[in-house]
Amino acid sequence: MTNLVANPSSVPASPAADGLRLEFRRNMGHISRQSLTYFAGTLFTMLAGYLVKVYVARVLGAENLGLYALGMTLVTLTQLVGCLGLQGAAPRYVAIYNGAKRWDDLRSFLTRSVLIIFSLNLAFSAMLLAGGGWISRHLYHAPNLAPYIPVFAVLTVLGSLTAFYGQVLAGFKDVAKRTIITHFIGSSLVIPLTVILLAMGTGMWGYLSAQVVNSAVVLALLVAVARALTPAPARLPWASLPPLDPEIKGFAAASLGMGALDFLVSQADKVLLGFYLNPKLVGIYVIASTLSALIPIILQSVNQIFAPVIADLHAQGRQAVLGKLFQTLTKWVVGLTLPLAFVIIVFAIPLLRLFGNGFDAGWPVLVIGAAGQFVNCGVGSVGYLLLMSGNQKRLMRVQFGMAFISVFVNIVLIPILGIIGAAIAAVSVNVGGNLWNLFEVRKALGISPYNRSYYSLLLPATAAVGCIVALRQWNDLLRHSWLAVLVALAMSYLIFGLVALKYALDEDDRMIAVAAWTQFRGAFATGVKV
């Protein structure tokens, strides 16, 4: 597939082509700057979080980590039902109402959504308190989980509201502030608090208490920022709230359905592992899966900013700009993800050994999961393209099919292969679902993420992979596993970047690189401001 915009050196520029390029550059500049902030926050959180996870894993052990993972499946399910899909509707309708200055509709959506989410999650948390003990003993065969159910109930209410207000900030196209709150401030609070409480010998109670305090503080800050971003006419008293638009109800219902299907896809493995195996194996599986989840960090950063842009461009009929953004962003995601993915695959065993004795048994889970996550990055923002363009029914069809496959494959493979069976089921769903979404995007929107410029990634990718493999052979010379991993990451990205700068960047790529570097240098010089 060729580029959507012809080479300006070979074809005279037309007004339409100039307009396309100007709009592309404006949107890409916004996405790259905001994504860099989100990426920096996510990277800071993940690196700090993994350091704490290493400490937590060594203090609590695999069994307690498994209990925590099983408890969070209950939290996730309760939040899913209690939010009714409204958190999924927030980025789309906050962006639309705010852009069109429909203040009454915006006020109604924000106020009614908060009331619904708070009330329902409070009710469902009470049900969790009543039935959590039975679930712990009879479904998960983990009676030690029962005493912690009240804390998970509190996390349910706080987490649901946090998720909604986080998406509200995305609708206002200010992911940077959300990132600072949830990643920088939240992590700066929860990490030392967790370490202090665990060092005091509080065990799981201390770990969960740190989560509750962090959730409460983050929620308060998100509410304050969301109120500040809401235009004054949309903050009027809500005595005469107009009803929610029926379109919102349909979109939220679709979002709820997709959330339910996503729960089956993302949580079925843990639920079934808890049912068939034991919390210790669940803990090993969760650590390996969490490490592989680091791979799409760049795609997640792009998605947070690209999602409302998709809604705006599609509503305006700017398909050419949307298609070009899709191509360029996916190419960058693929290129910048490749060194990280290969470092995790090649250094899987040394990485898992950092968490303590026994965790290296999960290395096949990490390798399999990393391969699936790279495919996820390779197709780009296909799910958001379907959701934000009003094609949620296509996305639901994909998720419904993948949810059925996930449950079926997990039921078949876990009793036979244990955690490796769960990993195979997860990667099958990941790859199959993303390729299916890609097909639906091409069919519904007529755009594809691929063009000839991807061939330019071959040389820097080959150089980076060669560097990683060579460093793995010399791993013992560095004595410490964590040092070998850091050196491999740094060297592979350095080599990839140098070769790409020389051979792989076109004019649009260089524009993105300059915008990102300017943002990075500005943040370094002045500090990130809320």
Side-chain angles (χ1 to χ4, degrees):
M1 181 174 180
T2 57
N3 286 321
L4 296 175
V5 179
N7 187 333
S9 65
S10 59
V11 179
S14 66
D18 287 341
L20 171 62
R21 180 170 291 276
L22 180 63
E23 190 166 2
F24 165 77
R25 286 176 176 268
R26 178 176 60 80
N27 281 284
M28 183 58 74
H30 170 73
I31 293 171
S32 60
R33 287 190 299 272
Q34 292 274 316
S35 295
L36 183 63
T37 303
Y38 184 87
F39 171 74
T42 304
L43 185 62
F44 169 79
T45 302
M46 284 190 168
L47 290 179
Y50 278 114
L51 288 176
V52 174
K53 278 186 173 66
V54 170
Y55 176 72
V56 170
R58 289 177 175 271
V59 173
L60 297 183
E63 182 174 354
N64 278 326
L65 286 179
L67 291 176
Y68 177 77
L70 294 175
M72 289 306 295
T73 63
L74 301 177
V75 171
T76 304
L77 178 60
T78 308
Q79 287 179 354
L80 169 67
V81 180
C83 287
L84 290 181
L86 290 168
Q87 84 285 6
R92 177 180 174 87
Y93 289 98
V94 169
I96 290 174
Y97 291 157
N98 189 51
K101 298 183 179 180
R102 295 166 57 180
W103 308 131
D104 284 342
D105 289 328
L106 178 59
R107 178 166 54 93
S108 173
F109 175 75
L110 292 175
T111 306
R112 290 184 182 276
S113 296
V114 170
L115 290 174
I116 291 171
I117 290 173
F118 178 73
S119 301
L120 284 180
N121 276 276
L122 205 58
F124 287 124
S125 294
M127 295 172 61
L128 179 60
L129 285 172
W134 185 91
I135 294 173
S136 301
R137 290 188 296 271
H138 299 285
L139 177 62
Y140 287 145
H141 310 297
N144 292 336
L145 175 62
Y148 305 115
I149 291 296
V151 185
F152 286 115
V154 174
L155 287 172
T156 295
V157 178
L158 295 174
S160 61
L161 291 170
T162 298
F164 176 75
Y165 276 104
Q167 294 300 331
V168 168
L169 265 61
F172 282 122
K173 299 181 181 179
D174 204 337
V175 177
K177 288 186 175 67
R178 186 185 72 179
T179 302
I180 293 169
I181 293 171
T182 59
H183 292 68
F184 288 107
I185 298 177
S187 297
S188 299
L189 172 64
V190 73
I191 289 173
L193 188 58
T194 299
V195 172
I196 291 172
L197 290 175
L198 289 181
M200 293 172 61
T202 56
M204 270 283 285
W205 288 109
Y207 185 55
L208 290 173
S209 298
Q211 305 294 318
V212 170
V213 172
N214 175 65
S215 297
V217 172
V218 168
L219 174 59
L221 292 174
L222 287 175
V223 171
V225 173
R227 179 172 174 78
L229 290 174
T230 304
R235 285 188 267 142
L236 294 173
W238 48 274
S240 58
L241 287 173
L244 287 177
D245 191 322
E247 183 183 345
I248 292 179
K249 297 177 183 178
F251 191 91
S255 180
L256 174 61
M258 289 185 291
L261 297 174
D262 183 66
F263 176 84
L264 291 176
V265 172
S266 61
Q267 302 292 330
D269 50 359
K270 301 177 188 67
V271 173
L272 291 170
L273 282 171
F275 180 77
Y276 285 114
L277 303 179
N278 56 67
K280 181 177 180 180
L281 288 174
V282 175
I284 294 172
Y285 176 83
V286 166
I287 288 294
S289 300
T290 303
L291 280 174
S292 67
L294 175 65
I295 291 173
I297 178 176
I298 297 172
L299 176 62
Q300 292 165 3
S301 303
V302 168
N303 283 343
Q304 298 303 312
I305 317 302
F306 194 27
V309 173
I310 294 169
D312 280 349
L313 291 177
H314 182 75
Q316 298 171 26
R318 304 283 190 176
Q319 291 296 103
V321 179
L322 184 58
K324 186 168 176 58
L325 285 171
F326 184 33
Q327 287 186 346
T328 306
L329 288 170
T330 306
K331 175 186 173 183
W332 274 74
V333 167
V334 170
L336 293 176
T337 300
L338 189 143
L340 173 62
F342 272 90
V343 166
I344 288 178
I345 291 172
V346 173
F347 286 84
I349 294 177
L351 273 170
L352 288 170
R353 282 177 178 166
L354 294 174
F355 292 88
N357 294 330
F359 283 99
D360 56 352
W363 73 265
V365 175
L366 179 53
V367 171
I368 294 169
Q373 291 291 0
F374 187 69
V375 174
N376 176 25
C377 297
V379 301
S381 308
V382 285
Y384 279 95
L385 279 163
L386 292 174
L387 181 63
M388 292 297 169
S389 64
N391 288 285
Q392 59 268 20
K393 290 183 179 179
R394 293 177 181 269
L395 185 58
M396 283 187 66
R397 185 164 59 239
V398 174
Q399 291 193 318
F400 182 81
M402 290 300 104
F404 173 79
I405 293 172
S406 174
V407 174
F408 176 77
V409 177
N410 271 295
I411 290 175
V412 171
L413 293 184
I414 288 176
I416 302 172
L417 301 175
I419 59 175
I420 296 177
I424 294 173
V427 77
S428 301
V429 171
N430 198 346
V431 173
N434 276 293
L435 294 179
W436 191 351
N437 279 334
L438 178 62
F439 171 79
E440 293 292 344
V441 165
R442 296 188 66 170
K443 187 176 179 181
L445 303 178
I447 58 178
S448 168
Y450 309 117
N451 56 38
R452 293 177 183 174
S453 67
Y454 279 73
Y455 291 118
S456 63
L457 295 176
L458 290 175
L459 186 58
T462 302
V465 171
C467 168
I468 294 167
V469 173
L471 287 172
R472 182 66 178 93
Q473 300 300 317
W474 301 332
N475 178 56
D476 294 339
L477 297 178
L478 296 174
R479 301 181 66 181
H480 299 290
S481 297
W482 61 268
L483 182 59
V485 173
L486 288 180
V487 170
L489 270 175
M491 290 299 298
S492 60
Y493 271 105
L494 177 63
I495 291 174
F496 183 90
L498 291 175
V499 177
L501 283 172
K502 181 69 175 177
Y503 301 105
L505 301 187
D506 58 23
E507 182 182 353
D508 292 329
D509 295 331
R510 294 183 186 279
M511 181 272 294
I512 298 171
V514 169
W517 172 248
T518 301
Q519 175 75 1
F520 175 77
R521 187 175 55 185
F524 224 21
T526 63
V528 181
K529 297 180 180 179
V530 182

